[in-house]
Amino acid sequence: MNGTGRYAIESGSMSVFYGSFCAVRDVDMRVPTNKITAIIGPSGCGKSTVLRCFNRMNDLITNVRIEGEVLFQGQNIYDDSVDPVEVRRRIGMVFQKANPFPKTIYENVAWGTRINGFRGDMDEMVEKALRSAALWDEVKDKLQQSALGLSGGQQQRLCIARAIAVEPEIILMDEPASALDPIATLRIEDLMKELSEKYTIIVVTHNMQQAARISDFTAFFSVDENRTGNLIEFDETEKIFTNPSQKSTEDYITGRFG
Amino acid sequence: MGQLLRTSFARELETLQTDTLMLGSMVIQALKESVDALRRRDMDVARHLIKEDEIINRKRFEIEADCLRLIATQQPMAGDLRLIAAVLEISTELERIGDYAKGIGRIILLIGTEVLIKPLVDIPKMCDIATEMLQQSLDAFLHQDLEAARTIPLRDDEVDDLYNRVHRDLIEMILEDTSLIDRCNYLLWAAHNLERAADRVSNICERIIFTVTGEFFEFDMN
């Protein structure tokens, strides 16, 4: 388990190519353990690409090549000896659009642990995950109903429950609240704060106020003239939003350039 | 990166700066008038100063309201946020300096038209230096001039020296003739107000340094 290391994940000179196109170049980023790290930057700067590299989600895209290394507990997750499925269990992901399985609420949570060979009390595990995702009180009386009947915000929290059911160490979130109304968004944000006590969270967001509200650290990415993404600045969120070191960070977060 | 965005917000920030400068000008004017009126024992101007302070206070509230509105509606960040935070502080400092001018107005009414206990030499000098420092600090604020913000407060020593001299002279007069206590005290209060005005210029400079660098900085005034 993590929690002992200062950094949950570290990338070293990580570059991502789609064919000959370099989408992101030379990212050196150390993500502190049990903190929320936000990744912000203009469209096309490679935020989601970087996020997907952290649990080998890019493997699923053809013609992608990753250089450099991504260390998780001291091991490069791109080593040949590493099983990407195991990586994705320990480093979970929540997507922009809630994507529950067309099954019952219960099954959505139980499914991941079942295929991972979970042998304990399944009811207890499902309740624990739903409670952790701040959804239990709303669904406890309809666990056998279809997950597709839940509201958008509830579906997203169900996806978070599904992600934490398999007890990952890191949760990656790609615009987890961008499709939700403001109230549902605040619930997700509160939930992220609570979850960060147990998990390391890395969140990609277009919403700078959201990054400022919820994250402990912020990574600002920008895009150069070749449309290649670069990590411009990584620092404590408070520093980034009150006194960033780089002019381009300042220009972006003050909304002077887009 | 693309084109320049948020031009209307940028314009609003400029207006905020201009309003702060305007408040500063009003305060400088009031301080100069107060010492001038003290020299002439001009009761009309003294009463006018007391009344005019309301306008200064109102202007400061307007600036504060604008700051809060921009924070609430524009979610300012980084340099913009620091600028607005600085304007909140600077406008408060200016309003307080305005109070010192009003205070001198009140002192004038207390002294009345009788001849001053001593010729006014050092007090007008204090006023000249304090208002000059204030004007320079407003220029530094407009131009975000870090170097000027760091050096302007050094002149506070000159004001302090003058104050100490006024203080010593007046105390000596009191020791020689205790019936002069009240009249000496009035001048001492006026001098003290000017000494404090210069101190507040240093606070303004600290805020300019904060706006430019993001660092909380305090001048050692001892």
Side-chain angles (χ1 to χ4, degrees), chain B residues 32 127-137 152 155:
Chain B
K32 281 181 173 168
C127 179
D128 288 345
I129 300 171
T131 51
E132 212 174 285
M133 287 170 71
L134 182 51
Q135 183 58 59
Q136 287 169 347
S137 74
I152 292 163
R155 293 195 71 193

Side-chain angles (χ1 to χ4, degrees), chain A residues 18 86 90 96 104 114 125 128 138 164 167-168 190 214 232 235:
Chain A
Y18 295 121
E86 176 63 8
R90 299 177 68 179
Q96 178 176 8
T104 64
R114 193 173 287 132
M125 191 284 301
K128 190 171 156 221
E138 292 162 59
I164 59 184
E167 301 195 317
D190 274 351
I214 60 171
I232 303 292
D235 213 325

Side-chain angles (χ1 to χ4, degrees), chain B residues 137-151:
Chain B
S137 74
L138 294 172
D139 292 343
F141 169 68
L142 177 65
H143 300 295
Q144 302 284 292
D145 185 340
L146 188 60
E147 193 48 39
R150 287 193 204 278
T151 51

Side-chain angles (χ1 to χ4, degrees), chain A residues 241-243 250 254-258, chain B residues 2 5-6 78-80 82 213:
Chain A
F241 285 98
T242 59
N243 193 17
E250 171 103 18
T254 57
R256 289 299 191 279
F257 289 91
Chain B
L5 297 172
R6 302 192 84 179
D80 297 339
R82 297 203 303 275
T213 66

Side-chain angles (χ1 to χ4, degrees), chain B residues 30-103:
Chain B
L31 212 53
K32 281 181 173 168
E33 277 180 11
S34 72
V35 172
D36 195 43
L38 177 64
R39 189 161 36 202
R40 293 183 288 108
R41 261 92 62 228
D42 189 327
M43 300 302 127
D44 289 340
V45 173
R47 275 186 286 270
H48 176 73
L49 280 168
I50 294 166
K51 184 118 189 63
E52 287 286 287
D53 188 57
E54 285 172 23
I55 300 173
I56 289 175
N57 292 350
R58 211 155 47 228
K59 184 75 189 163
R60 179 256 174 147
F61 283 134
E62 279 170 24
I63 290 172
E64 186 173 348
D66 283 339
C67 288
L68 295 179
R69 180 177 54 78
L70 288 177
I71 291 169
T73 59
Q74 299 288 339
Q75 288 88 40
M77 296 288 189
D80 297 339
L81 181 62
R82 297 203 303 275
L83 177 69
I84 294 173
V87 166
L88 279 171
E89 291 283 339
I90 290 171
S91 58
T92 305
E93 298 291 349
L94 291 173
E95 188 266 329
R96 290 286 160 77
I97 298 175
D99 287 344
Y100 297 140
K102 179 174 79 171

Side-chain angles (χ1 to χ4, degrees), chain A residues 3-4 23 25 71 103 127 158 167 183 210 247 256:
Chain A
T4 50
R25 190 186 304 282
L71 297 179
K103 292 181 177 299
E127 178 175 341
L158 181 63
E167 301 195 317
I183 302 298
Q210 181 173 66
K247 171 89 169 48
R256 289 299 191 279

Side-chain angles (χ1 to χ4, degrees), chain B residues 133-174:
Chain B
M133 287 170 71
L134 182 51
Q135 183 58 59
Q136 287 169 347
S137 74
L138 294 172
D139 292 343
F141 169 68
L142 177 65
H143 300 295
Q144 302 284 292
D145 185 340
L146 188 60
E147 193 48 39
R150 287 193 204 278
T151 51
I152 292 163
L154 299 177
R155 293 195 71 193
D156 187 54
D157 287 347
E158 294 175 43
V159 182
D160 286 349
D161 287 347
L162 287 166
Y163 174 69
N164 289 335
R165 198 152 79 194
V166 171
H167 185 264
R168 199 177 50 235
D169 289 352
L170 290 168
I171 295 293
E172 273 172 14
M173 291 174 85
I174 291 172

